[in-house]
Amino acid sequence: KKARDDRRGIAAYESGDDSVHLREMQIIHSLPKALQHNQLYVVYQPKESLHTGKCEQVEALIRWEHPQLGVVSPAEFIPLAECAGMIHLVTHWVMDKVLQQQQQWRAQGVNIRVAVNLAGSDFEQDVVACISHKLQQYQLTGDAIALEITEGVLIANMSGTCEKLQQLRQMGIEVAIDDFGTGHSSLAYLKDLPVDEIKIDKAFVDDLLVDRRAQRIVLTTIEMAHHLGFRVTVEGVENSRQRELLKRMGADLLQGMLFSNPMRGAELAYHGDTLQLNCMPLAQSL
Ligand code: C2E
Ligand code: MG
Ligand code: MG
Ligand code: MG
C-alpha cells in the first residue's frame, strides 16, 4: 500500500506507541462490521449560494459513534481505512446512503445535488463503472451527485485521474477540488483540469480577517478560478465578517457553521421549491 507521511497511522507505527496502535487496530478491525450494521451515518452540510442566498448543494460527511471508542472523526478513520485498503467499503456505503436519501428527496420533489468525498485509492478501482452502476441501481442520473477530491489525488496520477473525471462529468456528475491550496500542486496543473468547482480550504478563511496576505491569496485564487471557468466555494466560514468579505471578493458559494452545520437528512426541510434549513441560517439573522 502507498504510504503517505501525513498519515497518523504511519506515524504511530513508527513511534511504537502501543495505545495509539491498539486504538487504530480497533478502528480498522471494527470498521467493516460497523458499516454492515449501520453504526455509521451520513450528515449533510449545505452550501450557501452567494448569488441567490439559497442552499443549492449539500456535502455528505460520514459520522461514526463507536460503541467502545465514542465518536471517531472521519479525519481519523478515513486515512486509516485508506491505509488498510478498506476505503472502497466506505465509499460504497456512503454512496448507497446518499443515493437512498436522494431517492427520498426526489420523491418529495426535492432537487438538490449531493457532493460525496472520494479518497485517492477510489481511483485505483473502477470508480466510473461503480458510480454509473449505482446511479442505474437507484434510477438516478448524474445530476444527483458531485464528487470532491483533493489535489493530492489528482497529482498522484494526473492523466489517469483526469480521464476518469472527464468520463464522470460526461454523465452529468460535477467534480470539485477539495481543500484547495493545501496540496503540493503547481499552477500548471490547473490549466487542463476537468473540474467544475474549487473549494478554498478553511486554513485561508481562518486568517482572512487578520492577514492581508491570506486576503490577497483568496482574492487572487477566486479571480484566477473564474478566469479558468471554475466556480469557487469557500469552506469553514464561521462569522458574518468573513462572509461579507468573501462576498465582495466574488466567491460563489460558502460552506461553514455560519450558514449551517452538517445535519441529518431528515433535518433538511423543503418549503415550496427551495430547500430551507429547519434552523434559521445565522447569516440572515445577523
Ligand atoms: P472536508 O471534505 O474538507 O470537509 C470539511 C470538514 O470541515 C468537515 O469535517 C466539516 O464538518 C468541517 N467544517 C465545516 N464547516 C466548518 C466550520 O465552519 N468550522 C470548522 N471548524 N469546521 C467546519 P468532518 O466531517 O470531520 O470531515 C473531515 C474530513 O474527512 C473531510 O474534510 C473529508 O476529507 C473526510 N471525509 C468526511 N466524510 C467522508 C466520506 O464520506 N468519504 C471520504 N473519503 N472522506 C470523508
Ligand atoms: Mg469535502
Ligand atoms: Mg474540504
Ligand atoms: Mg478542508
Side-chain angles (χ1 to χ4, degrees):
K1 289 290 145 215
K2 264 186 318 175
R4 277 203 331 228
D5 53 11
D6 59 347
R7 284 190 185 136
R8 294 186 48 197
I10 301 289
Y13 292 122
E14 282 171 355
S15 74
D17 181 336
D18 283 348
S19 68
V20 176
H21 192 174
L22 200 67
R23 176 182 166 88
E24 297 187 340
M25 297 284 282
Q26 202 175 351
I27 288 172
I28 288 302
H29 183 77
S30 53
L31 183 60
K33 276 225 168 62
L35 287 168
Q36 257 173 38
H37 296 136
N38 290 320
Q39 273 175 21
L40 294 90
Y41 58 95
V42 175
V43 288
Y44 298 88
Q45 185 173 37
K47 300 179 180 180
E48 175 197 14
S49 162
L50 286 175
H51 304 295
T52 64
K54 290 177 186 168
C55 168
E56 287 164 4
Q57 212 183 79
V58 295
E59 175 180 5
L61 296 160
I62 194 167
R63 294 289 177 264
W64 189 4
E65 281 157 34
H66 194 287
Q68 279 86 45
L69 300 173
V71 173
V72 184
S73 160
E76 179 176 19
F77 74 80
I78 294 286
L80 289 174
E82 226 188 327
C83 245
M86 286 182 178
I87 198 69
H88 63 283
L89 297 179
V90 177
T91 304
H92 277 257
W93 187 89
V94 170
M95 205 57 93
D96 280 327
K97 295 299 157 196
V98 163
L99 295 177
Q100 282 159 17
Q101 180 64 69
Q102 272 293 28
Q103 278 190 323
Q104 281 184 32
W105 278 335
R106 294 283 162 110
Q108 297 163 13
V110 172
N111 262 295
I112 191 147
R113 201 185 277 266
V114 181
V116 175
N117 291 281
L118 292 188
S121 22
D122 287 320
F123 285 85
E124 290 160 19
Q125 320 249 330
D126 197 351
V127 69
V128 179
C130 166
I131 291 176
S132 137
H133 176 84
K134 283 214 188 288
L135 286 172
Q136 274 176 32
Q137 183 190 340
Y138 291 97
Q139 294 171 299
L140 290 162
T141 46
D143 62 346
I145 55 172
L147 302 171
E148 298 193 3
I149 58 166
T150 59
E151 291 165 301
V153 172
L154 264 170
I155 290 156
N157 175 6
M158 190 69 184
S159 64
T161 307
C162 283
E163 201 183 307
K164 289 179 178 175
L165 293 181
Q166 205 43 279
Q167 289 168 8
L168 291 161
R169 290 177 78 213
Q170 272 156 14
M171 293 161 50
I173 296 167
E174 285 187 354
V175 177
I177 303 296
D178 208 348
D179 303 343
F180 187 81
T182 62
H184 305 278
S185 59
S186 68
L187 285 177
Y189 102 119
L190 279 176
K191 195 167 59 71
D192 306 307
L193 212 56
V195 306
D196 303 280
E197 174 181 317
I198 65 163
K199 297 185 75 178
I200 297 181
D201 193 72
K202 180 179 189 305
F204 299 99
V205 183
D206 290 342
D207 294 341
L208 199 63
L209 299 174
V210 291
D211 183 349
R212 288 194 69 86
R213 293 173 73 102
Q215 279 174 27
R216 292 272 159 78
I217 290 172
V218 171
L219 180 60
T220 307
T221 304
I222 291 171
E223 287 173 348
M224 179 182 64
H226 284 166
H227 282 308
L228 294 170
F230 309 138
R231 188 172 68 214
V232 179
T233 294
V234 184
E235 60 176 30
V237 178
E238 294 179 348
N239 65 60
S240 52
R241 288 182 59 214
Q242 291 168 338
R243 180 181 182 276
E244 283 321 302
L245 186 54
L246 290 164
K247 192 173 178 176
R248 271 189 277 133
M249 287 178 168
D252 301 293
L253 298 142
L254 301 185
Q255 207 178 4
M257 58 193 210
L258 174 68
F259 186 61
S260 172
N261 282 321
M263 292 185 293
R264 299 293 282 253
E267 293 173 330
L268 294 166
Y270 260 74
H271 302 281
D273 64 346
T274 56
L275 181 139
Q276 293 189 346
L277 314 170
N278 274 344
C279 56
M280 208 32 204
L282 273 174
Q284 277 153 39
S285 59
L286 286 174

